[in-house]
Amino acid sequence: MGFLRLTRPANVVTAVADILAGIAISGYFLQAPAGMYWLPVILLAIATAGLYAGGVVFNDVFDARLDAVERPERPIPSGVISKQTAAAGGVLLLVTGVAAATNVHPDLYSTTTLLAVAIAASALLYDKWGKHHAVAGPVMMGACRGLNLLMGISIVPGAVGIYWWLGGIPLVYIAAITVISRGEVHGSNRSHLYTALGLYGVVLAALLGFSVVQQHWQTAIVWLAGFGCMIVQPLVKALRNPSAAASGKAVKAGVLALVLMNATWAAATGQWYLACLIALLLPVSLLLARLFAVT
């Protein structure tokens, strides 16, 4: 149970939602023969689960000394699991993630494989170094999500070459959440929260613009409105009272709302059934968030 707590299960569900959104953007289900549907999808789900879980495990491994002071209830400082065991498990998860990605298109140098390696490297760099830097930290954390969306898109060879720029939108969004998260322990600086609110606005506008270009904004607007409400409301509360507790709630909402962001991507491509499927992951993530920490 201690190791499971390290993997942040509720967050892993949102990573799977990223993959499904990328697959929707790629048009895979609109062009793949029926017999080819599910194995690559399952492999990508395993890949993102391994990569995300491995990355957050190493977050706690590298932060073990700091957590002993600021968050002694976490599994490593509380003695539930040793730092060495956690590190070994993190390595296994990352290797599993890269291996699963490699088998989507059996080629060691496929786009999917290279993206998986880039995600693992970005996560480790953020865990060890990036989180301590005001600019590099949010960018590196956001890059992990952007690359994850692109890994889903890569299920169709060549699709990343068309939609590569979409990876910048999750990057901006996660950068905003990372800025907010800096107030989880000691409270937030209002200027940071206003910066995050501005970044949220950029993301919402970009999603709306994409849905208009795809000519499915009428379908996407429902999911986009739900996504916007879920992220803006707790952030406004944090602006009124920039306490550590309020910042923590805003971060938690931002992470879990990724499911609705990904449903919006699917709806924007006209695949409403995939949007519904992705949205069904939200109650799963919310339930897991009651049982396990999100941040």
Side-chain angles (χ1 to χ4, degrees):
M1 182 62 75
F3 187 76
L4 187 61
R5 285 169 56 194
L6 287 176
T7 66
R8 314 291 201 281
N11 305 39
V12 171
V13 173
T14 69
V16 174
D18 293 344
I19 292 296
L20 293 176
I23 292 171
I25 292 168
S26 76
Y28 174 74
F29 285 113
L30 301 177
Q31 56 184 278
M36 294 173 58
Y37 271 178
W38 294 109
L39 182 57
V41 176
I42 293 169
L43 285 171
L44 281 171
I46 293 171
T48 194
L51 292 168
Y52 191 98
V56 293
V57 166
F58 271 104
N59 178 74
D60 281 23
V61 169
F62 291 134
D63 275 359
R65 185 174 296 177
L66 180 63
D67 284 345
V69 177
E70 294 186 344
R71 296 177 177 180
E73 74 282 358
R74 283 187 167 179
I76 295 175
S78 66
V80 173
I81 186 170
S82 72
K83 184 177 176 179
Q84 293 74 20
T85 300
V91 170
L92 180 60
L93 285 167
L94 291 174
V95 170
T96 299
V98 173
T102 300
N103 281 282
V104 173
H105 302 294
D107 178 358
L108 191 60
Y109 300 103
S110 71
T111 301
T112 307
T113 303
L114 295 176
L115 285 167
V117 172
I119 292 168
S122 297
L124 290 173
L125 283 171
Y126 171 81
D127 291 338
K128 179 64 177 177
W129 174 76
K131 70 175 68 173
H132 305 294
H133 292 258
V135 176
V139 171
M140 292 172 69
M141 177 60 87
C144 292
R145 283 287 181 170
L147 292 169
N148 201 41
L149 180 69
L150 295 181
M151 190 166 71
I153 294 173
S154 74
I155 194 169
V156 173
V160 173
I162 300 171
Y163 296 111
W164 61 269
W165 55 277
L166 293 180
I169 298 173
L171 188 157
V172 172
Y173 180 69
I174 296 300
I177 295 176
T178 305
V179 169
I180 300 169
S181 72
R182 292 185 170 164
E184 284 188 280
V185 177
H186 303 295
S188 287
N189 181 314
R190 277 197 173 90
S191 65
H192 291 168
L193 297 178
Y194 278 116
T195 297
L197 185 61
L199 293 174
Y200 276 175
V202 170
V203 169
L204 291 168
L207 284 166
L208 179 60
F210 180 73
S211 66
V212 169
V213 171
Q214 295 293 312
Q215 299 182 348
H216 293 291
W217 68 268
Q218 299 95 329
T219 306
I221 197 69
V222 177
W223 303 106
L224 184 61
F227 170 59
C229 289
M230 190 170 178
I231 62 174
V232 171
Q233 186 177 12
L235 182 54
V236 170
K237 288 182 179 180
L239 277 165
R240 291 173 180 165
N241 174 28
S243 64
S247 296
K249 289 179 180 178
V251 171
K252 181 178 179 179
V255 172
L256 298 180
L258 277 159
V259 175
L260 293 183
M261 179 184 184
N262 287 313
T264 304
W265 283 121
T269 66
Q271 298 174 75
W272 61 268
Y273 51 90
L274 269 180
C276 292
L277 176 64
I278 293 170
L280 288 174
L281 294 176
L282 182 57
V284 176
S285 191
L286 288 170
L287 176 61
L288 290 171
R290 289 176 175 269
L291 302 173
F292 302 96
V294 172
T295 62

